[in-house]
Amino acid sequence: MSLPHAILTALLEKPSSGLELTRRFDKSIGYFWSATHQQIYRELGKLEAEGQIRALPSEQPARGQKKSYEVLPAGRDELARWTAASQTPKPLRDTMLLRLRASAVVGTAGIEADLRRHLDLHQGQLAEYEEIEKRDFPPGTDTAQDRLRHLVLRAGIDLETFWTRWLAHALEEFEQLPEQLPARE
């Protein structure tokens, strides 16, 4: 996914200002595609220059007023093109996994404590996702849009469930490790 496509998606859901987009990213899209305030504003400028979005007319003078944007047909066409295109999954790159592999040759100092910290973080994220699921997807929310949005949330829930289980298993393995790992020759 790319930032322009995330912005087009958000604007098609609801025309918004850059500040509103930033807040919405923090509450939804940012869970799986993050962007800073500056990145969003920079991308809004590019999308507007490319004719994919436009600033909505303001009822008050523009100076000092926030601009709200909407998607133009060219932007909708680009999002539809991108959505329909085939993409290959990206390989997993996770620093913790690399650090764990490295600890097999240099020792495990600090890794167990960080595994516990990661477990706490993933458990917290899982609880947050589950709360969102209860709040936003009660029984009976069955429109096509709701079902697709729920699928995205379920991906987050399933991913956090995987990490919490894996981290708990890793910590169980750490309990079985000898105090000192044998030195490698």
Side-chain angles (χ1 to χ4, degrees), residues 11-78:
L11 289 175
L12 280 169
E13 290 173 342
K14 179 182 177 192
S16 305
S17 69
L19 181 58
E20 291 165 338
L21 280 173
T22 300
R23 289 180 180 149
R24 289 175 55 210
F25 265 69
D26 289 345
K27 293 180 180 175
S28 62
I29 292 174
Y31 286 120
F32 56 90
W33 194 264
S34 62
T36 66
H37 188 76
Q38 292 82 6
Q39 290 171 317
I40 290 172
Y41 273 94
R42 190 171 37 249
E43 205 56 53
L44 284 169
K46 289 178 189 177
L47 290 168
E48 189 172 26
E50 293 169 359
Q52 294 186 30
I53 65 171
R54 72 175 180 131
L56 292 169
S58 177
E59 296 174 4
Q60 299 176 349
R63 188 168 180 83
Q65 294 291 332
K66 62 182 178 183
K67 288 190 210 175
S68 285
Y69 297 89
E70 70 177 353
V71 177
L72 296 172
R76 180 180 281 279
D77 291 346
E78 168 54 23

Side-chain angles (χ1 to χ4, degrees), residues 97-112:
L97 297 177
L98 182 58
R99 290 175 55 222
L100 195 56
R101 176 77 182 251
S103 73
V105 293
V106 298
T108 60
I111 292 289
E112 185 175 2

Side-chain angles (χ1 to χ4, degrees), residues 82-153:
W82 178 80
T83 301
S86 176
Q87 294 186 347
T88 303
K90 300 265 189 232
L92 175 64
R93 291 178 60 175
D94 188 275
T95 307
M96 175 54 80
L97 297 177
L98 182 58
R99 290 175 55 222
L100 195 56
R101 176 77 182 251
S103 73
V105 293
V106 298
T108 60
I111 292 289
E112 185 175 2
D114 210 30
L115 285 168
R116 290 186 193 290
R117 187 178 72 81
H118 278 235
L119 178 57
D120 288 343
L121 292 169
H122 284 287
Q123 286 172 331
Q125 190 64 64
L126 178 57
E128 187 174 342
Y129 285 162
E130 288 172 338
E131 187 60 37
I132 291 169
E133 184 177 42
K134 286 179 196 169
R135 180 191 70 218
D136 293 350
F137 299 100
T141 53
D142 207 29
T143 68
Q145 292 85 355
D146 286 337
R147 292 173 74 181
L148 292 172
R149 288 181 186 117
H150 194 192
L151 274 175
V152 174
L153 179 61

